[in-house]
């Protein structure tokens, strides 16, 4: 099965920017639509941005115009560019396929922690 490794998270001040990277051990084209998910303590993991194989993008309202998701299928890599970060963006970010059934995710990676302060 494809393995996913997220990286790029760190602590930043409000207004800062980050680029998260998701490296897959196999084809992300085969996984279909891909997404970045965020988990915070006490809350369910939520999909914050997604991108289809033909690069249609969707975002939750709170990150629209600040986050940009992209995919580089030839390198099996997914990116999330984050700008004008806010404290409420804090969380552990994971990448995975977009699952309509909620039951066919690839095994989750370890995620990458983003902490926004100030």
């Amino acid at each position: 099965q494809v393995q996913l490794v997220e990286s790029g998270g760190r602590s930043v001040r409000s207004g800062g920017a980050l680029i998260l990277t998701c490296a897959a051990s196999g084809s992300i084209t085969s996984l279909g639509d891909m997404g970045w998910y965020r988990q915070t303590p006490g809350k369910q993991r939520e999909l914050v941005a997604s991108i289809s194989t033909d690069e249609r993008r969707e975002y939750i309202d709170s990150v629209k115009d600040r986050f940009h998701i992209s995919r580089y299928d030839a390198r099996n890599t997914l990116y999330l560019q984050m700008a004008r970060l806010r404290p409420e963006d804090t969380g552990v970010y994971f990448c995975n396929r977009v699952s309509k059934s909620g039951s066919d995710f690839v095994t989750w990676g370890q995620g990458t922690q983003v902490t926004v302060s100030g």
Side-chain angles (χ1 to χ4, degrees):
Q1 194 180 45
V2 174
Q3 293 182 322
L4 303 168
V5 179
E6 303 89 351
S7 63
R10 61 181 177 87
S11 294
V12 296
R13 300 282 293 175
S14 288
L18 287 173
I19 299 176
L20 305 185
T21 300
C22 168
S25 63
S27 168
I28 61 170
T29 306
S30 67
L31 297 181
D33 296 359
M34 294 292 294
W36 281 97
Y37 298 77
R38 177 173 65 206
Q39 186 154 35
T40 54
K43 291 188 178 179
Q44 277 196 321
R45 197 172 294 175
E46 66 171 336
L47 178 64
V48 299
S50 65
I51 183 168
S52 67
T53 52
D54 60 352
E55 303 203 3
R56 285 175 288 113
R57 296 170 172 85
E58 293 187 10
Y59 303 92
I60 58 172
D61 286 346
S62 64
V63 308
K64 276 181 186 173
D65 302 321
R66 298 189 300 117
F67 289 10
H68 179 77
I69 186 171
S70 58
R71 62 191 294 163
Y72 192 169
D73 284 41
R75 294 190 177 176
N76 296 318
T77 306
L78 186 73
Y79 300 99
L80 185 67
Q81 294 171 264
M82 312 168 79
R84 302 192 302 282
L85 283 160
R86 305 168 180 169
E88 55 263 39
D89 297 321
T90 294
V92 182
Y93 284 74
F94 301 83
C95 62
N96 212 308
R97 73 192 321 172
V98 176
S99 171
K100 289 184 172 54
S101 69
S103 62
D104 59 349
F105 291 111
V106 175
T107 300
W108 294 91
Q110 81 288 353
T112 188
Q113 175 72 48
V114 173
T115 303
V116 185
S117 60

